[in-house]
Amino acid sequence: MDEEEKRNYLMNIINSTPFLVQDKIYRNDRKLNTRTDFNRIKKYIDDFLEKYDDDKFIIMPGLRGVGKTTLLYQFYDYLTSEHNIKQHQILYLNLDRLKDKGKIDLLSYLDIFIKDINDDAYINKKPLFIFVDEAHYTSNWGLVGKIIYDETSNVFMIYSGSNALTLNTDNDSGRRALKREINPINFAEYLNLKYYCQMPSNMKEAFIELIFQGNIENLSQIEKYMQLNNFMQLKRDVKKEWELFIKYGGLPYTLNKSYVEAKEYTLEIKDDIIRKDLPLIKSHTKETIDAAYPLLDFIALQKPGTLSESKLSNNLDISKTAVRNLLNSLTQSLIIFKINSYGSVSKQERKTKEYYYWSTQIKAAIFENDGGSNLRSLQEIKGILLENYVAYSIYRLKVEYNYNFKLYFDPRKGGVDFLIKTINGKIIPIEVGIGKKNKRQITSAIEYYKSDYGIVISDTTSKIIKDENIIFVPYITFTLF
């Protein structure tokens, strides 16, 4: 397109975006609630509007379907409704749509928006906002962001995308960009988004106190408040709602879909990651790409720790190198993550890794599609999904909030599910399960690793209790974190 065609394209987007936003952030004439990530990023917008702060280039990578686009719509609405920013001062540009116009010259489009359409704002330093969705569809998004960042003081940018490697390691954006990952929601956010059920704001801090200090007092008070207020307000069977969450509720897009629709959409996300994201991360052969479909099924259906690279190589009929590269790419795409065995670095390299899904919803969809759910009891399936969720929530603390600790699995026969090693070298054993009645495993781990305390997350108690050096946390309470 020539410059005039590009300008007309942008003007059409600017004029139509308010209708798109209204359509997407309302349900039954009621505005959708915002999630925790909204407030995490909104503070940068507020700081920018107050003093044109340097934190004006935000990167939002995340799994497909996790709600990045909805967040951009909500930021748009926040700017227009709360700060009276004119619609022509905000550009929401979806590169998945723009790519159909041919090669994307992103800098040219943004220059037209800033210097032509908003020439008065450009000259007089009035605030402008650029939201680039699906940024990974152009390889030089980071360079474009750097140029805009360096040349202007009045432009705030958010770039979102599903391809984690492109977004996380882009050299051009460098120190200028702040990365804020958008991840699957927890049970508290699920209840808030679906039923407008507000949760206490200090919940994360209370969980951190429990996990890393063994202090249950603050979280016990929050738990009691929620059971007497939030869960009563819900007027639903909380356990049944939790089962829906763990299987269908981690990805906000499917919150109001039927179970069949949610499962089909979730499987489409898995396929899109393989077809669209993996080729952008690394140049795999077609044979290797095709092997990603059964590989993700193997990871979902097998017990963690049972899939060695040699076994996968034989089952998939590809080399161990191809298996290793494929696992690395799937990890970069934010569909799975790995946990190493506890021990020395050399032992970790030799040991089988444990792989978990970022979203239990994808694992559950594969279970149902494969028929695996028919071969296991409901209790066993709940336990498998709960273990995945606990791994995800603790791992998320490390990668999203930059807490300095390491997460391992226990390599001992009959060991606990997880081990946290703090920066001070303290080991915190964690056992997860539905229907596990005895304390043998956690007691053994506390003694073996000389731990001050251990944590059991299960259905053995209805409230948080501390029995000597063992903390028991109800599974529903933990998934609020």
Side-chain angles (χ1 to χ4, degrees):
M1 291 191 287
D2 60 27
E3 295 296 297
E4 185 63 25
E5 290 173 320
K6 291 176 181 177
R7 188 182 193 282
N8 290 336
Y9 181 82
L10 292 177
M11 287 301 300
N12 181 60
I13 288 176
I14 290 170
N15 290 329
S16 61
T17 297
F19 302 101
L20 177 65
V21 169
Q22 292 299 304
D23 181 61
K24 296 298 184 181
I25 68 169
Y26 279 85
R27 185 176 71 244
N28 299 325
D29 296 324
R30 187 175 184 181
K31 187 180 290 189
L32 297 176
N33 267 351
T34 57
R35 55 190 293 180
T36 306
D37 292 299
F38 178 85
N39 291 322
R40 288 177 64 214
I41 296 173
K42 180 177 76 69
K43 68 183 182 67
Y44 296 111
I45 293 176
D46 293 339
D47 288 345
F48 171 77
L49 286 170
E50 182 180 345
K51 56 184 177 182
Y52 280 6
D53 191 82
D54 287 341
D55 292 334
K56 56 192 176 83
F57 184 7
I58 310 296
I59 303 171
M60 293 195 329
L63 181 69
R64 287 179 179 271
V66 84
K68 301 181 298 295
T69 299
T70 299
L71 277 170
L72 294 180
Y73 293 151
Q74 290 173 323
F75 292 138
Y76 182 102
D77 177 72
Y78 174 71
L79 287 168
T80 55
S81 62
E82 299 294 327
H83 288 284
N84 297 315
I85 301 297
K86 304 298 183 185
Q87 70 180 60
H88 65 80
Q89 292 174 258
I90 311 171
L91 175 63
Y92 167 75
L93 190 61
N94 189 324
L95 299 195
D96 190 17
R97 299 172 188 162
L98 186 59
K99 75 180 191 310
D100 296 334
K101 302 294 183 181
K103 185 177 179 181
I104 299 174
D105 183 0
L106 182 59
L107 183 58
S108 175
Y109 282 98
L110 300 191
D111 271 342
I112 292 171
F113 171 73
I114 296 169
K115 300 174 183 178
D116 181 356
I117 295 173
N118 287 285
D119 57 332
D120 178 64
Y122 175 66
I123 294 170
N124 295 297
K125 304 298 182 184
K126 297 177 182 178
L128 295 173
F129 294 85
I130 295 173
F131 301 149
V132 179
D133 206 359
E134 306 287 2
H136 53 270
Y137 279 109
T138 180
S139 60
N140 72 335
W141 67 267
L143 176 61
V144 172
K146 172 183 176 295
I147 292 171
I148 300 297
Y149 180 99
D150 289 342
E151 290 185 352
T152 63
S153 61
N154 63 316
V155 179
F156 184 96
M157 298 175 288
I158 301 179
Y159 286 61
S160 79
S162 302
N163 185 317
L165 180 67
T166 304
L167 290 170
N168 289 352
T169 62
D170 187 274
N171 293 325
D172 292 314
S173 57
R175 58 179 175 78
R176 295 164 179 80
L178 294 173
K179 178 168 70 70
R180 295 295 179 264
E181 288 183 357
I182 309 301
N183 290 308
I185 58 176
N186 58 33
F187 190 40
E189 290 179 304
Y190 168 89
L191 295 176
N192 182 31
L193 294 177
K194 191 169 184 178
Y195 299 114
Y196 297 85
C197 186
Q198 294 290 336
M199 296 293 168
S201 60
N202 59 336
M203 194 178 304
K204 179 167 73 75
E205 290 75 15
F207 268 104
I208 289 169
E209 280 186 12
L210 183 146
I211 293 171
F212 293 100
Q213 300 172 28
N215 180 6
I216 71 170
E217 183 178 348
N218 289 331
L219 190 58
S220 293
Q221 291 299 317
I222 291 174
E223 178 187 61
K224 183 177 181 179
Y225 172 85
M226 286 164 32
Q227 290 176 346
L228 294 177
N229 294 276
N230 301 74
F231 292 167
M232 291 291 187
Q233 170 192 336
L234 192 62
K235 297 180 180 179
R236 294 173 181 270
D237 186 329
V238 176
K239 291 183 178 180
K240 292 292 185 184
E241 202 63 45
W242 182 88
E243 290 173 13
L244 295 178
F245 157 74
I246 207 73
K247 292 198 292 186
Y248 308 112
L251 304 178
Y253 183 84
T254 60
L255 283 181
N256 298 292
K257 303 286 185 183
S258 70
Y259 307 146
V260 173
E261 289 175 327
K263 185 188 77 172
E264 292 302 317
Y265 175 77
T266 305
L267 293 173
E268 287 176 11
I269 288 175
K270 184 196 78 166
D271 291 347
D272 281 346
I273 289 171
I274 294 171
R275 290 187 294 105
K276 298 179 180 180
D277 291 350
L278 291 193
L280 295 174
I281 293 173
K282 185 177 177 63
S283 180
H284 296 283
T285 66
K286 183 181 183 301
E287 179 187 34
T288 301
I289 292 290
D290 290 342
Y293 296 96
L295 174 58
L296 287 175
D297 285 6
F298 287 153
I299 292 172
L301 298 169
Q302 298 296 313
K303 180 177 173 55
T306 61
L307 292 177
S308 66
E309 290 180 359
S310 296
K311 184 177 179 180
L312 288 170
S313 175
N314 291 331
N315 287 341
L316 299 173
D317 197 25
I318 58 175
S319 69
K320 285 198 292 185
T321 299
V323 169
R324 191 175 304 117
N325 289 336
L326 193 53
L327 287 169
N328 287 336
S329 293
L330 290 169
T331 300
Q332 296 287 357
S333 74
L334 294 184
I335 189 171
I336 59 173
F337 63 95
K338 70 178 179 180
I339 298 178
N340 289 324
S341 167
Y342 180 75
S344 65
V345 174
S346 60
K347 286 183 179 179
Q348 289 176 25
E349 289 302 315
R350 294 195 301 270
K351 286 281 186 179
T352 301
K353 310 294 188 296
E354 290 193 352
Y355 287 90
Y356 292 92
Y357 278 82
W358 272 105
S359 172
T360 59
Q361 183 170 330
I362 297 179
K363 188 180 181 80
I366 294 172
F367 252 101
E368 291 192 9
N369 192 58
D370 184 79
S373 56
N374 298 324
L375 303 177
R376 293 173 169 86
S377 67
L378 177 60
Q379 179 172 282
E380 184 180 1
I381 293 170
K382 286 168 60 177
I384 291 170
L385 296 178
L386 176 62
E387 180 182 339
N388 192 113
Y389 181 90
V390 172
Y392 153 72
S393 61
I394 297 174
Y395 190 80
R396 176 180 176 178
L397 260 184
K398 181 176 178 60
V399 300
E400 182 176 327
Y401 297 103
N402 297 316
Y403 278 85
N404 197 357
F405 67 91
K406 294 186 182 298
L407 178 63
Y408 302 102
F409 68 89
D410 189 351
R412 300 176 307 135
K413 185 177 181 180
V416 293
D417 293 308
F418 306 110
L419 298 169
I420 291 176
K421 184 176 183 180
T422 69
I423 190 173
N424 298 321
K426 181 172 71 173
I427 303 295
I428 306 168
I430 298 176
E431 179 66 9
V432 183
I434 300 293
K436 294 186 178 181
K437 304 300 182 183
N438 63 65
K439 303 186 291 186
R440 180 184 57 81
Q441 285 175 299
I442 195 71
T443 300
S444 170
I446 291 172
E447 293 176 354
Y448 184 85
Y449 293 107
K450 297 179 174 57
S451 303
D452 295 332
Y453 58 90
I455 301 171
V456 176
I457 302 160
S458 70
D459 60 346
T460 56
T461 177
S462 60
K463 66 177 184 178
I464 299 169
I465 59 174
K466 192 169 187 177
D467 181 5
E468 295 181 344
N469 58 354
I470 302 175
I471 299 171
F472 292 88
V473 182
Y475 68 97
I476 289 178
T477 298
F478 189 88
T479 50
L480 292 167
F481 164 57

